[in-house]
Amino acid sequence: MGLTLRDVLVLGTDFLKKKSVATPRLDCELMFAHALGMKRLDLYVRYDMPMEEKDLVPLRKVLARRAAGEPVAYIVGHKAFYGMDLEVGPGVLVPRPETEVMVDEVLDFFAGRPGLNRMLDLCAGSGAIGLAVAVNNKDVSVTAVEIDDHALAFCRKNVSTLGIRERFECLKGDLYEALTPDNTYDVIVSNPPYVRSGDWESLPPEVKAEPKQALLGGPDGLDVIRRIVTGAGRHLNPGGMVCIEIGDQGQADALQEMLRVQDFRDTRLLFDLARRPRAVTGIR
Ligand code: GLN
């Protein structure tokens, strides 16, 4: 008796479990569907499909990559974020579901203020935050700034796949240096690098496989955040909002204090679905 698709899913899941992968079954399904050119749900429809030796070659390949610590998103080349399917790969940060709280917050902000419609996304990476806002509010136009060419290429690709090129501009550069002084916005949003240098070694392997530049924010993790806050006044319209992702309560406290010093009011801490501190907002 040969193996069926069901059997190889079980075997693959066991293999990843032994390699201490956190979500072995899910990872297996996503990678096998990709390797077999099928939709994930079709795996269940084709459960009894016999697998020949030649069919197993691509499956072994993706399992080996995952076991070596590569993120699933890099192996399959895309990642779901806020109902979109974004193209990602080595060289760009993988969008995280916890970042979606910032999208909700920004969409609420724009919904309550019909006159406001310009948003700046700093350290945009694949473009996830800006794309989610632009796709879900057709009045908003987005400028995304990203320092890394590889990441920016993913962002551009996602913009054209989603068909929103006329409302979404991608600029290469180091934060505000990509802009001219008269470029002002109603919202400045960012998921900047904020991992403390000292925490790098303790990160899981699939996170360490992501670009260091997208993760590391100096000794206290706040190097880039400080520059974002200091420069925000020059590029934010009156009544505008900043919304910046952070990693923990300590960084949240520090960021709220930085914003108050820069004359922001109504600073607020947003929690993600796991009830961890995830972003800070402020109005100016
Ligand atoms: N949330 C990411 C992590 O946990 C960090 C992302 C970032 O630095 N912006 O590793």
Side-chain angles (χ1 to χ4, degrees):
M1 263 283 282
L3 296 170
T4 63
L5 179 51
R6 179 203 314 263
D7 298 329
V8 297
L9 276 166
V10 170
L11 291 167
T13 302
D14 283 346
F15 172 74
L16 292 184
K17 205 180 285 171
K18 288 199 190 90
K19 299 286 177 184
S20 307
V21 168
T23 52
R25 175 74 192 195
L26 173 66
D27 292 10
C28 240
E29 288 183 10
L30 291 167
M31 295 192 303
F32 284 13
H34 170 76
L36 297 167
M38 291 161 64
K39 292 211 174 70
R40 186 173 151 217
L41 284 178
D42 292 340
L43 295 173
Y44 287 86
V45 180
R46 316 263 306 264
Y47 236 25
D48 296 317
M49 182 169 82
M51 303 296 289
E52 296 178 27
E53 183 54 32
K54 68 164 175 30
D55 302 324
L56 300 180
V57 176
L59 305 188
R60 288 202 190 95
K61 217 174 265 174
V62 293
L63 284 171
R65 287 175 68 181
R66 185 70 192 95
E70 249 191 278
V72 178
Y74 286 178
I75 297 168
V76 302
H78 53 95
K79 172 78 184 181
F81 182 81
Y82 213 85
M84 306 173 298
D85 192 29
L86 300 181
E87 194 168 313
V88 295
V92 70
L93 189 83
V94 177
R96 317 281 209 257
E98 51 268 30
T99 300
E100 294 180 341
V101 295
M102 297 212 287
V103 177
D104 287 333
E105 182 70 17
V106 171
L107 285 171
D108 278 354
F109 180 84
F110 279 123
R113 294 163 185 79
L116 309 188
N117 56 15
R118 286 174 55 78
M119 177 169 117
L120 175 65
D121 182 352
L122 295 172
C123 312
S126 63
I129 305 172
L131 292 165
V133 172
V135 163
N136 290 282
N137 185 332
K138 309 261 175 286
D139 296 325
V140 175
S141 58
V142 174
T143 297
V145 175
E146 169 55 49
I147 196 165
D148 183 81
D149 284 312
H150 284 98
L152 197 60
F154 283 106
C155 187
R156 292 207 164 100
K157 183 83 202 301
N158 287 321
V159 172
S160 73
T161 305
L162 290 163
I164 52 170
R165 257 195 295 216
E166 70 291 348
R167 290 188 293 119
F168 200 111
E169 152 185 60
C170 301
L171 301 178
K172 179 187 157 82
D174 186 8
L175 303 181
Y176 304 106
E177 285 172 19
L179 309 173
T180 57
D182 59 329
N183 290 146
T184 61
Y185 302 88
D186 303 312
V187 169
I188 297 176
V189 70
S190 183
N191 175 14
Y194 55 70
V195 173
R196 295 178 184 87
S197 342
D199 292 340
W200 176 259
E201 278 316 315
S202 57
L203 293 177
E206 54 271 347
V207 178
K208 278 195 255 179
E210 296 180 90
K212 269 190 172 175
Q213 194 180 23
L215 291 163
L216 289 177
D220 63 358
L222 298 170
D223 282 1
V224 179
I225 289 179
R226 261 186 291 273
R227 293 175 55 215
I228 292 174
V229 172
T230 317
R234 275 194 302 273
H235 293 281
L236 197 61
N237 293 327
M241 177 176 76
V242 294
C243 182
I244 302 172
E245 185 166 321
I246 42 80
D248 57 34
Q249 186 69 50
Q251 291 186 335
D253 294 343
L255 173 51
Q256 283 192 289
E257 184 52 30
M258 271 182 233
L259 287 169
R260 287 188 206 111
V261 169
Q262 296 289 327
D263 287 332
F264 282 83
R265 58 183 166 81
D266 301 336
T267 64
R268 270 196 319 125
L269 174 55
L270 310 180
F271 292 84
D272 60 24
L273 290 174
R275 296 183 178 281
R276 284 181 303 240
R278 185 51 59 192
V280 168
T281 67
I283 307 279
R284 188 152 139 152

